[in-house]
């Protein structure tokens, strides 16, 4: 019999059971059981809690780092929690397909009627499950290091949202890499290298991250941009909308990774990866396009520094206090007084506050104050206006704070004379409130708690296995 | 279009070829498989067996050629997949879950509801004799049990055709026999066609109705076992006999055999194995009488004959002859 004679129309073929559209749920459930009940996720979380505890303990006990105020401690802890939390998801994702290839389990999965997209979707969701657990584990540490500071609430919700976005991007990236790697080692190496590169960029000294190239890299690296966003919002009191452009690279990373995973990798998922040179070239061009998109975004967000206007007027400016001694982490409030000593109304004025380190070290005043400039409407002759200012004492040292009044120039061809206030001499001492002993119980008990969870899961599993043991029964036809 | 619904042919392969970067892995493979029949794929390493299986299971696309499974053409792999069951060489079993959980998982992937999947899994474990191990973790299973579980998984969707790649590899003789009996039962009771790859020639010989022998990607013989054996015999040429004799009687046996006119050569007089080459067409006795004459002379000389075999009467001989030059 020839193939032509043996072939039937598909409509003539008696139907088989249809695989439900939600078969990703079946894959997800199975993967979660293997991940959690098999102990891999919990083992990684034990390591994670130990690492987080160790880093927090070092932060709290190191004499140099003890200067760090609660806001910054909360930020650093949250940053570590997110970076290492998403790392777990990435590692699990990177094992998703290449691991199945290596263990020889992929072939039978590909032979089921479940679509490749559903298979990858179930695996992606399961790779995301350790992230909420990692975040929950980090909460006690965040509570301790924030020392009752209001930053805790913001840290929690920002960490949950931003961490989830990054977890999706990194788990998806790991899974994407694993779809084109035959060996698990290669998949892990590529994913780990990418994570390490992005992580190391966040650890570079501040000076290296400055300049056009530094800012550019900062914005295209989702880890670095997220870290910058969290720092500015949590530590430097900047608004979310002001720093939202820093989130673009994370969102774009999610869109690109998920798009590549489901639109490009899923339909091409094969038992053996990387055979076709053309496919490799396509991946290369896609990676290039991704990089190009991220570069464009970086450039877009790096541009646009605000321009300041200059003008002239006849004004007097003063600060009510002349000297203050505080500790790092304290909040300082003071008032300024602007007087119009002329005979006519003044033009509109911009008040700008500046902070100078008296040793000559560089200070970024934006880190110190949520509001560095204030707009002043025209001041009537012989009239005066008061303005409130707030500064967070970020670092130990000797500083001078002053305000400059900048009248708006009358036209494009004219200028104005800025007027400076007296200086407020600020002496900031070391931060000493953080008690290392407050961290120690968390460092010890959180990993212990996670380990107990693991033991509990193992015990429950063994009990379930004993309960599910079917009794021998007479043979029944399948 | 043919009327395949009433046909007992469940698999038709027509001139299937596969090449990688110009290197031929499989060339012009054609065969048919009847419902309830077992077909053995034989061939040394690199002969193209696994490539053929992967093409037929829709994992690979053929470079040229077509096939149908249960009347569905190879252009519709998604419609073929629910109709086949596969046991790959690498079993692909996870360690952290139990046998029943594993089969329930696959039953759900093939469309069974969660509530139906467990009874389905249990009944399949019954079929392969693993019911009592259903709740045990797969990592505690022996190799034979894992093979059986793999077969149960391949049966989960009531396949029309099953593909088994080296199912008896690594099993002890009893395990091999039990598994082969199980495969025959599956073929007969369920009416499934079975394609069975093996290095174990005696297994193929015992379990298969038909055989396809591949060498360097080419089919060198195909058909029923008796057809293949018949075609491979070379009448009129020198015939070899293999005898097993106790070591103590070896000298006597050698001396007796060398006095016979029909015997051209006696070799391998060690470890109880003797190979006797009988003379060609001009021998004094007809070919089918030579063996009887040799046996009669040995018995007369009071040489105990523990084993006796004519070379070329086993699939192994045909296999060696047809695949000469390839590494087995």
């Amino acid at each position: 019999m020839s193939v032509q004679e043996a072939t039937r129309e598909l409509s003539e073929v008696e139907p088989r059971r249809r695989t439900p559209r939600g078969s990703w749920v079946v894959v997800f459930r199975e993967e979660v059981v293997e991940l959690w009940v098999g102990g891999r996720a919990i083992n990684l979380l034990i390591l994670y809690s130990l690492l987080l505890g160790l880093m927090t303990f070092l932060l709290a006990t190191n004499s140099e780092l003890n200067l760090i105020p609660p806001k910054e401690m909360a930020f650093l802890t949250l940053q570590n929690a997110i970076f290492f939390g998403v790392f777990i998801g990435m590692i699990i994702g990177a094992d998703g397909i290449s691991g199945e290839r290596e263990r020889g389990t992929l072939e039978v999965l590909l032979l089921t009627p479940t679509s490749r997209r559903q298979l990858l979707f179930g695996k992606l969701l399961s790779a995301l499950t350790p992230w909420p657990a990692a975040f929950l584990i980090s909460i006690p540490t965040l509570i301790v290091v924030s020392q009752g500071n209001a930053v805790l609430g913001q840290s929690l919700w920002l960490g949950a949202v931003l961490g989830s976005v990054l977890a999706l991007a990194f788990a998806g990236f790991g899974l994407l890499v694993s779809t084109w790697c035959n060996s698990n080692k290669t998949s892990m190496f590529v994913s780990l290298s990418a994570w390490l590169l992005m992580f190391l960029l966040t650890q570079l000294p501040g000076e290296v991250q400055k300049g056009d190239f530094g800012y550019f890299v900062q914005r295209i690296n989702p880890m670095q941009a997220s870290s910058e966003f969290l720092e500015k919002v949590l530590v430097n009191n900047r608004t979310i909308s002001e720093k939202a452009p820093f989130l673009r690279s994370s969102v774009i990373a999610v869109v690109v990774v998920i798009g590549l995973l489901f639109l490009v990798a899923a339909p091409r998922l094969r038992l053996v990866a990387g055979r076709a040179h053309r496919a490799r070239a396509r991946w290369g061009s896609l990676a290039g396009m991704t990089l190009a998109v991220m570069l464009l975004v970086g450039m877009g967000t790096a541009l646009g520094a605000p321009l300041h206007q200059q003008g002239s007027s006849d004004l007097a400016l003063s600060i009510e206090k002349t000297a203050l001694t505080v500790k790092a982490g304290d909040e300082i409030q003071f008032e300024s007084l602007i007087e119009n000593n002329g005979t006519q109304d003044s033009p509109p004025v911009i008040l700008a506050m500046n902070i100078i380190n008296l040793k000559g070290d560089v200070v970024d005043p934006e880190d110190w104050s949520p509001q560095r400039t204030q707009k002043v409407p025209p001041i009537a002759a012989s009239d005066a206006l008061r303005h409130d200012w707030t500064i967070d004492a970020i670092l130990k040292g000797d500083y001078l704070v002053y305000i400059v009044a900048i009248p708006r120039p009358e036209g494009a061809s004219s200028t104005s004379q800025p007027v400076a206030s007296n200086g407020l001499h600020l002496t900031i001492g070391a931060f000493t409130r953080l008690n290392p002993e407050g961290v120690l119980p968390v460092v010890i008990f959180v990993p212990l708690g996670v380990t107990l969870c693991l033991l509990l899961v193992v015990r429950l599993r063994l009990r379930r296995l004993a309960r599910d043991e079917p009794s021998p029964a007479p043979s029944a036809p399948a | 279009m043919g009327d395949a619904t009433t046909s007992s042919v469940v698999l038709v392969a027509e001139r299937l070829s596969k090449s990688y970067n110009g290197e031929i892995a499989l060339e012009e493979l054609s065969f048919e498989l009847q419902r309830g029949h077992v077909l053995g794929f034989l061939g040394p390493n690199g002969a193209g067996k696994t490539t053929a299986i992967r093409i037929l299971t829709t994992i690979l696309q053929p470079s040229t050629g077509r096939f149908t499974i249960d009347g569905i053409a190879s252009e519709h792999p998604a419609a073929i997949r629910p109709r086949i069951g596969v046991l790959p060489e690498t079993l692909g079993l996870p360690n952290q879950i139990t046998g029943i959980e594993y089969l329930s998982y696959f039953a759900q992937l093939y469309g069974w509801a969660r509530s139906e999947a467990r009874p389905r899994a249990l009944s399949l474990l019954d079929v392969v004799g693993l019911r009592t191990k259903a709740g045990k973790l797969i990592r505690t299973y022996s190799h034979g049990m894992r093979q059986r579980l793999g077969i149960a998984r391949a049966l989960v969707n009531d396949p029309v055709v099953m593909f088994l790649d080296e199912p008896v590899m690594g099993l002890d003789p009893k395990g091999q026999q039990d598994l082969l009996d199980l495969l025959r039962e599956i073929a007969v009771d369920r009416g499934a066609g079975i394609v069975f790859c093996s290095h174990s020639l005696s297994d193929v010989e015992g379990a298969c109705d038909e055989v396809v022998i591949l060498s360097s990607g080419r089919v060198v013989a195909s058909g029923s076992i008796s057809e293949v054996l018949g075609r491979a015999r070379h009448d009129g040429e020198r015939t070899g006999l293999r005898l097993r004799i106790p070591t103590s009687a070896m000298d006597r046996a050698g001396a007796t055999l060398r006095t016979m006119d029909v015997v051209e050569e006696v070799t391998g007089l060690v470890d109880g194995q003797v190979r006797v080459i009988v003379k060609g067409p001009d021998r004094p006795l007809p070919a089918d009488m030579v063996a009887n004459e040799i046996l009669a002379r040995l018995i007369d000389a009071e040489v105990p004959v523990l084993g006796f075999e004519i070379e070329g009467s086993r699939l192994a001989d045909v296999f060696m002859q047809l695949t000469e030059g390839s590494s087995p």
Side-chain angles (χ1 to χ4, degrees):
Chain A
M1 184 183 279
S2 71
V3 165
Q4 198 174 357
E5 287 167 337
T7 303
R8 290 186 282 166
E9 291 291 346
L10 277 184
S11 55
E12 297 171 13
V13 176
E14 55 279 14
R16 286 254 156 173
R17 273 172 190 269
R18 277 174 181 267
T19 300
R21 286 190 171 190
S23 59
W24 61 267
V25 179
V26 179
V27 176
F28 170 69
R29 221 167 23 218
E30 179 66 17
E31 291 287 325
V32 167
V33 167
E34 217 177 308
L35 193 62
W36 288 89
V37 179
R40 198 153 53 106
I42 300 184
N43 284 334
L44 284 167
L45 285 173
I46 291 174
L47 282 175
Y48 165 81
S49 60
L50 284 170
L51 189 67
L52 190 68
L54 182 70
M55 293 179 83
T56 310
F57 185 71
L58 288 175
L59 277 174
T61 53
N62 187 296
S63 61
E64 286 297 314
L65 293 172
N66 239 354
L67 302 173
I68 301 172
K71 278 183 173 184
E72 197 149 356
M73 280 289 287
F75 155 68
L76 288 170
T77 306
L78 185 63
Q79 180 185 257
N80 290 335
I82 291 176
F83 289 176
F84 292 104
V86 303
F87 175 78
I88 295 175
M90 190 192 68
I91 287 294
I92 291 164
D95 175 73
I97 297 297
S98 54
E100 298 262 18
R101 277 198 184 102
E102 223 171 63
R103 292 186 288 274
T105 47
L106 184 63
E107 188 169 355
V108 287
L109 274 180
L110 293 181
L111 285 166
T112 65
T114 303
S115 77
R116 268 62 166 165
R117 282 198 181 102
Q118 298 229 15
L119 187 65
L120 287 179
F121 189 51
K123 281 181 172 289
L124 177 65
L125 288 188
S126 73
L128 287 173
T129 55
W131 160 246
F135 187 65
L136 281 176
I137 286 170
S138 71
I139 290 177
T141 314
L142 276 168
I143 291 171
V144 171
V145 298
S146 59
Q147 299 281 301
N149 193 298
V151 76
L152 177 66
Q154 206 176 18
S155 304
L156 290 181
W157 78 262
L158 274 179
V161 173
L162 197 55
S164 301
V165 172
L166 284 177
L168 187 56
F170 279 87
F173 177 73
L175 195 55
L176 182 63
V177 171
S178 81
T179 60
W180 74 65
C181 289
N182 281 321
S183 144
N184 222 16
K185 277 182 193 160
T186 312
S187 173
M188 290 287 173
F189 176 76
V190 172
S191 305
L192 192 63
S193 301
W195 181 89
L196 209 57
L197 178 70
M198 292 190 210
F199 176 72
L200 287 178
L201 286 171
T202 66
Q203 304 301 304
L204 291 175
E207 297 80 45
V208 182
Q209 297 185 34
K210 304 290 181 204
D212 288 345
F213 185 70
Y215 284 128
F216 171 70
V217 172
Q218 202 176 57
R219 279 158 179 75
I220 61 164
N221 175 2
M223 264 192 184
Q224 216 172 347
S226 305
S227 168
E228 187 70 14
F229 172 82
L230 285 176
E231 187 177 12
K232 294 296 176 197
V233 172
L234 295 179
V235 181
N236 305 141
N237 304 308
R238 310 302 288 269
T239 62
I240 291 171
S241 56
E242 191 184 350
K243 291 294 167 189
F246 280 99
L247 300 178
R248 279 185 202 161
S249 56
S250 301
V251 174
I252 288 174
V254 169
V255 172
V256 170
V257 163
I258 300 302
L260 285 175
L261 188 61
F262 290 105
L263 300 178
V264 180
R268 290 164 181 79
L269 182 59
R270 301 277 180 273
L271 181 62
V272 181
R275 279 207 178 226
H277 295 291
R278 264 189 295 173
R280 243 178 268 157
R282 253 198 311 266
W283 280 114
S285 61
L286 277 168
M289 276 165 59
T290 310
L291 194 63
V293 169
M294 293 177 84
L295 288 175
L296 283 172
V297 172
M299 276 193 267
T301 52
L303 293 174
L307 295 170
H308 295 283
Q309 293 182 342
Q310 287 188 325
S312 62
S313 92
D314 182 11
L315 297 165
L317 185 60
S318 61
I319 295 176
E320 55 162 343
K321 291 172 183 166
T322 53
L324 274 175
T325 300
V326 295
K327 284 179 185 170
D330 285 351
E331 190 176 85
I332 305 141
Q333 291 183 334
F334 61 91
E335 237 177 36
S336 67
L337 180 70
I338 182 164
E339 296 167 283
N340 181 0
N341 296 323
T343 53
Q344 292 182 336
D345 288 1
S346 74
V349 173
I350 301 288
L351 293 180
M353 181 183 64
N354 201 8
I355 302 163
I356 301 295
N357 184 297
L358 294 175
K359 279 187 183 169
D361 294 343
V362 175
V363 176
D364 185 355
E366 288 177 353
D367 291 354
W368 292 60
S369 175
Q371 190 178 28
R372 279 194 58 225
T373 57
Q374 297 193 45
K375 286 180 184 172
V376 182
I379 307 166
S382 305
D383 203 357
L385 289 174
R386 290 183 183 277
H387 294 90
D388 293 322
W389 300 88
T390 303
I391 290 177
D392 288 322
I394 297 291
L395 280 177
K396 178 187 163 189
D398 212 9
Y399 301 88
L400 196 83
V401 179
Y402 67 96
I403 298 169
V404 180
I406 304 160
R408 190 157 67 190
E410 286 172 359
S413 58
S414 62
T415 185
S416 68
Q417 177 63 51
V419 177
S421 72
N422 61 297
L424 163 58
H425 184 191
L426 211 53
T427 306
I428 301 175
F431 179 81
T432 52
R433 274 185 300 168
L434 189 63
N435 176 11
E437 280 82 41
V439 174
L440 205 56
V442 176
V443 168
I444 293 168
F445 287 113
V446 169
L448 208 61
V450 182
T451 310
L452 285 174
C453 283
L454 172 66
L455 294 175
L456 187 68
V457 168
V458 171
R459 192 180 159 79
L460 287 173
R461 174 73 171 154
L462 290 174
R463 280 174 64 179
R464 193 180 160 193
L465 287 179
R467 199 186 61 220
D468 285 359
E469 191 79 54
S471 54
S475 294
Chain B
M1 302 286 168
D3 185 11
T5 47
T6 54
S7 167
S8 64
V9 176
V10 286
L11 196 167
V12 180
E14 200 172 84
R15 305 179 75 179
L16 291 176
S17 298
K18 181 75 183 173
S19 54
Y20 298 106
N21 301 323
E23 260 186 53
I24 294 169
L26 186 68
E27 192 178 354
E28 305 266 323
L29 171 66
S30 300
F31 69 94
E32 280 181 25
L33 178 65
Q34 306 280 324
R35 197 178 292 276
H37 277 214
V38 182
L39 180 136
F41 260 20
L42 281 175
N45 290 337
K49 302 188 298 290
T50 302
T51 302
I53 294 274
R54 285 190 171 156
I55 288 172
L56 295 167
T57 55
T58 75
I59 287 285
L60 288 178
Q61 280 193 327
S63 304
T64 58
R66 295 174 73 208
F67 65 93
T68 62
I69 285 181
D70 198 21
I72 299 169
S74 45
E75 290 82 11
H76 306 288
I80 287 178
R81 279 179 207 134
R83 289 170 163 76
I84 57 173
V86 184
L87 178 75
E89 190 176 349
T90 51
L91 286 172
L93 297 173
N95 287 321
Q96 304 293 343
I97 58 174
T98 62
I100 191 163
E101 285 170 340
Y102 182 64
L103 291 184
S104 301
Y105 171 47
F106 271 85
Q108 288 175 72
L109 289 179
Y110 278 99
W112 267 263
R114 205 177 177 188
S115 56
E116 302 168 319
R118 194 179 159 86
R120 169 94 191 144
L122 262 182
S123 69
L124 287 170
L125 287 166
D126 248 347
V127 170
V128 296
L130 285 178
R131 189 185 170 95
T132 56
K133 302 287 178 187
K136 300 281 182 208
L137 292 175
I138 294 173
R139 70 165 176 236
T140 64
Y141 283 23
S142 69
H143 184 64
M145 286 158 68
R146 292 168 76 90
Q147 296 279 28
R148 284 170 172 274
L149 184 63
I151 289 171
R153 181 198 57 214
L155 286 170
V156 84
N157 55 328
D158 282 329
V160 179
V161 182
M162 277 180 84
F163 297 90
L164 307 153
D165 201 352
E166 302 288 354
V168 293
M169 194 163 66
L171 296 181
D172 58 39
K174 184 175 184 312
Q176 287 183 9
Q177 195 49 56
D178 288 350
L179 200 77
L180 293 171
D181 292 344
L182 175 65
L183 292 183
R184 292 267 11 148
E185 272 175 41
I186 288 168
V188 173
D189 296 348
R190 294 170 175 257
I194 296 180
V195 178
F196 167 26
C197 264
S198 181
H199 276 99
S200 173
L201 301 166
S202 58
D203 295 337
V204 171
E205 200 165 2
C208 298
D209 302 296
E210 288 115 35
V211 66
V212 172
I213 301 179
L214 292 166
S215 179
S216 304
R218 291 189 179 87
V219 178
V220 290
S222 66
S224 69
I225 302 263
S226 55
E227 281 170 355
V228 170
L229 288 175
R231 268 181 241 141
R233 284 203 190 104
H234 297 272
D235 284 339
E237 292 182 6
R238 295 191 331 165
T239 305
L241 306 176
R242 287 199 203 105
L243 299 160
R244 203 153 58 81
I245 286 163
T247 317
S248 56
M250 290 292 259
D251 291 341
R252 205 166 354 127
T256 307
L257 289 167
R258 286 191 187 97
T259 60
M260 293 181 71
D261 293 339
V262 292
V263 172
E264 186 176 303
E265 193 183 345
V266 180
T267 56
L269 291 169
V270 284
D271 297 333
Q273 296 289 331
V274 181
R275 186 164 185 246
V276 181
I277 304 295
V278 297
K279 284 178 179 164
D282 56 343
R283 62 191 159 221
L285 285 169
D288 50 356
M289 293 300 291
V290 172
N292 290 350
E293 175 68 11
I294 288 173
L295 276 177
R297 288 289 286 274
L298 288 172
I299 291 163
D300 287 348
E302 295 183 342
V303 175
V305 178
L306 303 176
F308 178 84
E309 193 174 56
I310 300 171
E311 286 183 356
S313 65
R314 293 184 314 155
L315 196 55
D317 303 315
V318 179
F319 179 81
M320 294 304 285
Q321 184 188 328
L322 293 173
T323 61
E324 212 167 33
S326 307
S327 57

